[in-house]
């Protein structure tokens, strides 16, 4: 009488199938998180009134593999080796000259139209302050961008740390997804 080969118990086959599924799902999730999209929590008040402390934004990490940041985009940066993430607006790119005079920001000698600052400008005027204090001119070097927070009087940005290297740019803020009653494009 011949013996039949011993079959793997059904529970082991199912367990192995589940493990394969978890590994696949985990790998795809990690790939998306590391290279495509990731959530980010806004910390601080430097981007108010555009973005608020505690809001959550989805960050597109893949976009800057294809193109460089453009003026007006809101980006997440690692300004230094600390690993901290900051969120700021791109004001100028490589080759541009940035300066502020008499509460007006200029890029390449042209006044920059900044409609997103309307509310902050009203607050600064009511307090008798300039929203954007004089600085510059600063010429942005190759492979760098000049960033500033929208809440100019409460922002640590390129006016202090200098232009940010492109390899310190994590990605572009695409949309606010939390809180749910404030879902919007920044």
């Amino acid at each position: 009488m011949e013996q039949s080969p011993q079959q793997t118990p059904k529970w082991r086959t199912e367990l192995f199938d589940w493990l394969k599924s978890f590994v696949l799902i985990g790998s795809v999730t990690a790939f998306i998180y590391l290279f495509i999209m990731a959530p980010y929590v806004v910390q601080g008040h430097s981007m108010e009134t555009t973005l608020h402390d505690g809001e959550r934004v989805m960050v597109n990490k893949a976009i800057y593999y294809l193109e460089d940041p453009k003026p007006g985009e809101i980006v997440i940066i690692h300004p230094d080796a600390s690993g901290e993430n900051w969120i700021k607006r791109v004001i100028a790119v490589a080759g541009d000259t940035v300066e502020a005079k008499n509460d007006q920001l200029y890029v390449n000698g042209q006044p920059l139209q900044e409609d997103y600052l309307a509310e902050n400008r009203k607050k600064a005027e009511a307090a008798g302050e300039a929203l954007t204090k004089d600085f510059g001119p600063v010429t942005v070097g190759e492979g760098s961008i000049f960033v500033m927070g929208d809440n100019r009087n409460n922002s640590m940005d390129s006016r202090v740390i200098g232009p940010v290297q492109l390899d310190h740019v994590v990605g572009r803020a695409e949309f606010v997804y939390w809180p749910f009653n404030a879902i919007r494009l920044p």
Side-chain angles (χ1 to χ4, degrees):
M1 197 162 161
E2 282 185 45
Q3 290 184 350
S4 64
Q6 196 166 17
Q7 290 185 335
T8 305
K10 184 177 180 181
W11 69 268
R12 281 190 181 169
T13 304
E14 283 192 34
L15 178 63
F16 185 66
D17 287 345
W18 276 100
L19 287 173
K20 286 191 301 188
S21 295
F22 283 128
V23 168
L24 178 64
I25 290 168
S27 299
V28 169
T29 302
F31 178 80
I32 290 170
Y33 183 82
L34 291 171
F35 300 107
I36 309 293
M37 298 285 275
Y40 172 78
V41 179
V42 176
Q43 296 175 351
H45 303 281
S46 72
M47 284 299 294
E48 287 182 353
T49 60
T50 306
L51 297 169
H52 303 280
D53 187 41
E55 287 185 324
R56 288 164 172 75
V57 297
M58 190 57 66
V59 177
N60 181 342
K61 292 180 164 189
I63 190 70
Y64 297 136
Y65 295 125
L66 306 172
E67 61 186 46
D68 288 340
K70 295 177 183 57
E73 293 179 341
I74 297 175
V75 296
I76 310 302
I77 60 171
H78 290 306
D80 53 33
S82 72
E84 276 186 66
N85 287 324
W86 292 4
I87 188 162
K88 304 293 177 193
R89 187 178 299 275
V90 178
I91 299 299
V93 296
D96 289 342
T97 300
V98 182
E99 68 180 313
K101 293 187 283 189
N102 302 321
D103 205 14
Q104 175 63 55
L105 191 60
Y106 295 88
V107 176
N108 298 325
Q110 299 299 312
L112 191 61
Q113 181 68 33
E114 299 179 286
D115 297 332
Y116 47 85
L117 295 181
E119 194 172 325
N120 286 338
R121 190 167 302 285
K122 287 178 190 173
K123 289 177 184 177
E125 287 172 1
E129 301 175 347
L131 179 61
T132 307
K133 293 178 177 60
D134 292 358
F135 71 89
V138 175
T139 300
V140 183
E142 196 62 38
S144 299
I145 56 174
F146 193 94
V147 297
M148 294 176 75
D150 290 355
N151 188 0
R152 300 281 164 81
N153 290 326
N154 189 16
S155 178
M156 176 77 73
D157 50 40
S158 288
R159 294 172 292 176
V160 177
I161 65 169
V164 175
Q165 296 290 319
L166 289 176
D167 62 353
H168 289 224
V169 177
V170 175
R172 179 174 73 196
E174 295 293 344
F175 60 93
V176 176
Y177 69 89
W178 183 264
F180 287 130
N181 64 350
I183 293 174
R184 67 188 185 285
L185 299 175

